[in-house]
Amino acid sequence: MDKRNLRVPKTIKLFIGGEFPRTESGRSFPAYEHGTQKVFAHLCRASRKDFRNAVTAALSARAEWERRSAYNRAQIIYRMAEMTEGHREEMVSVMEKVGGVSARDAHLAVDEVIDAFVYYAGFADKFSQLSGCVNPVSGPHHAFTTPEPVGCVAMIFDDDDGAVTALPTVIATMASIIASGNVVTMLLPGAVAPLLAPLAEIFATSDLPKGVVNLLTGHRSELLEHFASHMEVQSISYVGSDNTVREKLKTLGAENMKRVVCFESKDGAQNGDINIGLERIASFVEFKTVWHPIGH
Amino acid sequence: MKMTNKRAQKRASAKASTTNVSKFAPAKAVAGGKSAVKFEYAPSLESTDIVQIEKRNRLFIGGKFVEPTSGRYFPTINPATGERLAEVAEANEKDVDLAVKTARQAYEQIWSKMSGKERGRYLFRIARLIQERARELAVLETMDNGKPIRESRDIDVPLVAAHFFYHAGWADKLEYAFPGQSIAPLGVVGQVIPWNFPLLMAAWKIAPALACGNTVVLKPAETTSLSALLLAQIFQDAGLPEGVVNIVTGAGATGAALVNHPDINKVAFTGSTEVGKIIARAVAGTKKRLTLELGGKSAHIIFEDAALDQALEGVINGIYFNQGHVCCAGSRLLLEESIANDFVEKLKKRIAQLRVGNPLDKNTDIGAINSEAELKKIGKLIQLGKDEGGEFFEPKCALPEKGYFQRPCFFSNVSSSFTLSRVEIFGPVLAVSTFRTAQEAVVKANDTPYGLAAGVWSEKGAKIHKVAGQLKAGVVWANTYNKFDPSAPFGGYNESGWGREGGRHGLSAYLDVRGK
């Protein structure tokens, strides 16, 4: 073996508040190269504390991201598409090595990721006009209703899908949520977890304010109830079909009346259908009605 | 918060006496110094002759009034006198099951097959019948609930008719409400409503549900069932097909039986956050859809550049409307420090002018608290506020000897940590605190698990828009308060609930909307 190419199996760290910390728990789990026992990399097994830190980071980015103009949010999400192009080879190689995916399919998955970023970039300054309105109230008042971001959204996925399906689903779901000004903390599904490093680099280099997107890897079974019961998380996005997970999220989430939004992965947030896109965005907003008298 | 500047006080009160034209306009003490003149009002009682109350009120199932299977009835009280008005049937699980089965049958055989145009016709007809029997509904509402006749007559009942009229027009236009998407009714909806706006909440629930093609089982609050049952008579008169709306009366157990019934497709609940959470957990493992309108602790922000006399009326309307039994009541008053002392003095004068008493008197501003239990709860929270160190003020007005009454009151020098600032009192009790900057006002306003409504007063448009944008509340009233309209979506952020009622947005609560 050529010594210059000696591979050091690194630990892929978490992405919290724009930084790359190790899990505070010091725990990790291996990701193997496809079909082998060869360690591709160690991934952090995030703890409850890591999740809470990620939510704190998200909440401190909330006001800043909400305040950005829709045009600015659109530009930043579009920038993510551009940065994804730059990380294409790395992502394809990880999907090939760990996911056992053909290069062609891996490239198609990256294409879909880029499509999703571009699609929701273009939506950031449209959904408000599509879903808001002026209300014809009887009386001398101007009353209008506009969508506003719900706040901090915790994102959870099923682990069933391979990287080719899971990666675009994760990105499209996330893009639909941050397009309206929400901040997110997500636990990457198993097939996407080994891609944390290139994904985090995309977010870290797109002018996205630190903390708007936070990425965790770990065991869903041990983090699920913490996601559901955190009192400062306003909403949960669950993409998957496990009824036990749904019930647990809704039951524990009721403590602070979280909006638990469930989609099946086959619903396809990334297919470019405007109605599905709008539905996705509208699932993570609050409608605010403002009244003001008309007179002098 | 003590007034120190006597001249400012004088100026404030003199201004109030000349420009403060209020719709309440009760006995006004003209306070230009010594020569205070007080006008007394003769009682002006609304006649109750128009209302005939049955002694025993049965359940409304399948278009008919039927005995409850248990044969049990419970009393409903006129809270203004403490006297029994009538008896109301107590629906048990069997009755609820019958009501749901009847609603299912009506859904499958009639209502889901009917064209939107035809559904709309029934709703228009109901709206008209409500207008025609408006006075009767208003008087009955006031007798059973205790709210002033001025409010039930001028606010509740007209809004009830407006809600049916507004949603009637949607019934044949739903496909345009969600362009490009496919829509379908949900089926049978179970609706549980509170006692503070018994008829209005019934309208908010029933009108959109029917317009969207669903059938309904409604449970009114146990202390205020009568107006919903009068509405049932109107449904009969309108020829609404049997079983499309069913009304089961009873207390919490009846509501639980409805919420937990396996054959309802959706639950809509308006009430306390505490019960809302129980319901959310109860349906968590089911396919039932759920919308909730829950509690609030809404902030009312007054900037120094507000039109202060108008703001004062807004504050009064915000917290003392309907005895403060309003989920979106402006129960936390946040005053900019520079005007706080003057404003508190104005507030003292103004609430001394409110007339507390017989709700059937057309001059009454504050009627009866809905039940003895609520009165006790309010009393406890007031005592807690005193214990925690709030500065308490209430006018010295006389209260009727019978019935459940509470003087309008407020606490000043309240901090965010007080129970008064955190807990929904649901009574005529206002918590007053101060702020120095707009940013502080927003932070304080948002410092609550609720997020139903907020008020903001300033004559500066740019400031209004900025603050309104930063408030985490589903409804923001700017330079006004407590305005409602069927076309304006209403509902809360965070622990104030899920979903919106009213407007195009309210329709989605009663439809399955999907991308095509």
Side-chain angles (χ1 to χ4, degrees):
Chain A
M1 189 187 281
D2 185 342
K3 274 200 174 167
R4 281 172 303 177
N5 286 340
L6 181 68
R7 220 177 138 261
V8 182
K10 59 186 174 182
T11 298
I12 298 175
K13 295 188 280 185
L14 305 174
F15 183 57
I16 297 175
E19 293 177 357
F20 293 84
R22 285 177 203 283
T23 166
E24 61 80 36
S25 69
R27 304 174 307 173
S28 66
F29 61 102
Y32 296 105
E33 291 190 7
H34 187 71
T36 72
Q37 287 300 308
K38 201 169 153 196
V39 173
F40 165 74
H42 289 280
L43 305 181
C44 288
R45 184 172 151 193
S47 64
R48 177 188 184 199
K49 180 87 170 87
D50 294 318
F51 167 65
R52 294 187 66 86
N53 289 343
V55 170
T56 304
L59 289 170
S60 29
R62 183 181 175 186
E64 160 82 9
W65 186 236
E66 260 182 29
R67 221 179 8 247
R68 295 290 178 100
S69 69
Y71 179 48
N72 183 249
R73 284 199 303 271
Q75 295 228 315
I76 289 171
I77 297 172
Y78 183 75
R79 182 69 177 154
M80 291 176 188
E82 293 177 333
M83 297 313 293
T84 304
E85 198 55 76
H87 285 80
R88 176 185 285 272
E89 293 310 325
E90 184 186 358
M91 292 167 83
V92 167
S93 132
V94 174
M95 279 189 273
E96 280 182 286
K97 263 191 200 150
V98 184
V101 173
S102 75
R104 186 178 168 276
D105 285 351
H107 274 287
L108 286 176
V110 176
D111 288 346
E112 277 194 63
V113 166
I114 292 169
D115 283 351
F117 279 136
V118 172
Y119 180 67
Y120 285 105
F123 231 138
D125 53 2
K126 314 290 185 299
F127 73 93
S128 200
Q129 281 177 316
L130 288 172
S131 63
C133 55
V134 173
N135 310 306
V137 297
S138 69
H141 287 88
H142 176 53
F144 57 95
T145 299
T146 48
E148 300 212 340
V150 66
C152 177
V153 182
M155 298 174 60
I156 295 177
F157 301 85
D158 270 356
D159 283 326
D160 309 340
D161 290 327
V164 173
T165 310
L167 177 64
T169 300
V170 166
I171 295 303
T173 306
M174 184 221 77
S176 73
I177 293 173
I178 65 168
S180 63
N182 291 302
V183 292
V184 302
T185 287
M186 65 171 137
L187 177 65
L188 294 174
V192 181
L195 289 158
L196 186 145
L199 288 177
E201 279 162 22
I202 290 166
F203 301 135
T205 54
S206 302
D207 290 331
L208 186 71
K210 291 175 179 182
V212 174
V213 175
N214 302 281
L215 306 177
L216 304 176
T217 52
H219 294 182
R220 191 177 78 180
S221 53
E222 69 177 10
L223 289 172
L224 193 67
E225 69 179 273
H226 304 310
F227 272 62
S229 43
H230 196 297
M231 291 299 279
E232 285 176 275
V233 168
Q234 280 77 33
S235 174
I236 291 190
S237 158
Y238 169 53
V239 181
S241 50
D242 187 333
N243 279 329
T244 334
V245 169
R246 275 191 204 128
E247 184 174 353
K248 192 161 194 180
L249 292 173
K250 287 184 178 178
T251 307
L252 294 172
E255 191 51 40
N256 68 335
M257 301 309 305
K258 279 186 198 71
R259 286 85 172 115
V260 178
V261 183
C262 303
F263 288 110
E264 303 264 349
S265 63
K266 64 176 165 50
D267 291 345
Q270 69 277 12
N271 72 358
D273 179 327
I274 188 164
N275 297 307
I276 291 176
L278 188 58
E279 186 192 355
R280 288 302 173 104
I281 294 176
S283 298
F284 298 94
V285 300
E286 291 291 339
F287 286 100
K288 178 189 278 180
T289 301
V290 180
W291 292 67
H292 195 280
I294 297 172
H296 56 83
Chain B
M1 207 178 289
K2 286 267 157 49
M3 189 74 191
T4 48
N5 186 339
K6 281 274 156 52
R7 225 165 48 194
Q9 184 179 19
K10 217 165 169 180
R11 198 171 57 231
S13 52
K15 200 175 165 195
S17 69
T18 52
T19 61
N20 188 358
V21 181
S22 147
K23 62 176 179 171
F24 290 112
K28 182 180 283 178
V30 179
K34 291 170 252 174
S35 59
V37 183
K38 201 163 186 193
F39 298 104
E40 275 307 327
Y41 282 65
S44 173
L45 293 181
E46 181 71 49
S47 165
T48 58
D49 291 351
I50 197 168
V51 173
Q52 268 111 45
I53 303 177
E54 303 245 357
K55 278 194 169 165
R56 299 198 123 192
N57 294 273
R58 292 167 293 172
L59 309 172
F60 183 66
I61 298 175
K64 295 173 196 68
F65 289 95
V66 299
E67 293 281 336
T69 52
S70 67
R72 290 175 63 177
Y73 288 80
F74 61 91
T76 186
I77 306 288
N78 179 345
T81 60
E83 286 159 11
R84 174 184 291 214
L85 272 179
E87 285 188 328
V88 178
E90 185 186 312
N92 61 16
E93 276 184 30
K94 270 188 199 164
D95 300 308
V96 169
D97 185 51
L98 177 66
V100 172
K101 282 200 173 99
T102 308
R104 173 65 59 193
Q105 207 174 8
Y107 174 71
E108 277 167 6
Q109 293 175 2
I110 306 166
W111 204 242
S112 65
K113 291 181 180 166
M114 196 181 276
S115 68
K117 178 181 160 190
E118 208 175 336
R119 287 202 311 271
R121 289 292 164 93
Y122 283 111
L123 292 172
F124 278 123
R125 207 189 271 177
I126 291 165
R128 270 288 185 262
L129 286 171
I130 290 166
Q131 289 172 327
E132 282 164 13
R133 297 177 74 171
R135 188 56 56 94
E136 186 184 350
L137 287 162
V139 172
L140 179 63
E141 190 78 321
T142 285
M143 290 170 79
D144 202 18
N145 168 279
K147 65 174 66 203
I149 185 71
R150 184 176 50 74
E151 291 177 9
S152 53
R153 181 195 64 200
D154 296 348
I155 299 167
D156 294 49
V157 175
L159 275 173
V160 170
H163 263 269
F164 277 96
F165 199 87
Y166 174 81
H167 286 96
W170 268 126
D172 57 356
K173 301 168 191 69
L174 295 170
E175 57 192 293
Y176 303 103
F178 304 95
Q181 285 168 289
S182 74
I183 51 161
L186 300 172
V188 177
V189 302
Q191 307 179 319
V192 179
I193 57 170
W195 48 262
N196 59 340
F197 295 92
L199 197 58
L200 184 57
M201 289 301 108
W204 279 30
K205 294 281 180 284
I206 295 172
L210 298 192
C212 294
N214 306 281
T215 57
V216 165
V217 179
L218 175 88
K219 191 202 84 74
E222 68 270 29
T223 58
T224 55
S225 308
L226 297 181
S227 55
L229 294 169
L230 181 51
L231 189 61
Q233 287 181 29
I234 288 175
F235 295 151
Q236 284 181 324
D237 293 348
L240 186 72
E242 294 172 356
V244 169
V245 176
N246 305 276
I247 297 173
V248 288
T249 47
T254 310
L258 180 57
V259 166
N260 292 319
H261 195 288
D263 197 35
I264 56 170
N265 304 95
K266 188 223 160 76
V267 176
F269 171 76
T270 295
S272 72
T273 291
E274 188 189 353
V275 176
K277 289 179 183 180
I278 294 170
I279 293 176
R281 290 187 192 107
V283 305
T286 70
K287 287 202 152 67
K288 289 171 195 168
R289 302 264 292 258
L290 178 61
T291 46
L292 301 164
E293 297 286 354
L294 307 177
K297 193 73 197 179
S298 301
H300 211 147
I301 301 170
I302 318 290
F303 286 106
E304 63 173 10
D305 52 15
L308 293 179
D309 292 324
Q310 290 173 29
L312 178 65
E313 293 311 307
V315 169
I316 296 287
N317 180 41
I319 182 64
Y320 303 121
F321 171 56
N322 200 35
Q323 297 77 242
H325 305 322
V326 187
C327 47
C328 52
S331 52
R332 288 185 294 147
L333 178 61
L334 301 177
L335 298 171
E336 187 157 1
E337 218 171 68
S338 51
I339 53 147
N341 286 353
D342 284 0
F343 201 89
V344 166
E345 289 309 312
K346 278 173 186 258
L347 190 59
K348 284 182 182 169
K349 287 208 175 70
R350 186 64 184 86
I351 66 171
Q353 297 166 341
L354 294 174
R355 301 178 71 87
V356 188
N358 186 351
L360 282 167
D361 189 325
K362 292 166 203 164
N363 294 320
T364 291
D365 296 309
I366 296 181
I369 302 298
N370 181 248
S371 65
E372 196 178 3
E374 282 300 315
L375 184 63
K376 278 187 179 158
K377 189 187 125 193
I378 294 167
K380 264 188 194 164
L381 285 162
I382 289 176
Q383 189 53 49
L384 198 57
K386 291 176 182 168
D387 295 346
E388 287 181 356
E391 204 170 296
F392 181 68
F393 178 82
E394 68 174 4
K396 292 184 176 63
C397 62
L399 296 182
E401 283 170 12
K402 289 188 296 179
Y404 317 127
F405 290 90
Q406 170 66 51
R407 290 181 186 88
C409 63
F410 68 86
F411 284 89
S412 50
N413 281 342
V414 167
S415 87
S416 310
S417 60
F418 279 32
T419 310
L420 285 172
S421 306
R422 316 209 70 82
V423 169
E424 183 177 39
I425 299 174
F426 224 59
V429 186
L430 178 66
V432 186
S433 55
T434 61
F435 65 89
R436 287 182 180 175
T437 63
Q439 196 48 43
E440 187 190 347
V442 168
V443 169
K444 280 189 166 168
N446 289 340
D447 181 20
T448 167
Y450 296 111
L452 192 48
V456 52
W457 292 77
S458 165
E459 291 294 279
K460 289 209 170 84
K463 189 193 262 183
I464 285 278
H465 280 291
K466 182 165 186 187
V467 171
Q470 291 174 342
L471 291 167
K472 303 289 180 208
V475 184
V476 176
W477 284 294
N479 291 330
T480 184
Y481 206 91
N482 272 346
K483 293 287 183 290
F484 307 95
D485 192 276
S487 73
F490 179 94
Y493 282 43
N494 299 333
E495 294 190 29
S496 288
W498 293 339
R500 295 292 176 269
E501 291 187 288
R504 182 168 59 79
H505 299 83
L507 298 175
S508 59
Y510 290 99
L511 289 169
D512 190 18
V513 183
R514 286 172 192 273
K516 263 181 184 161

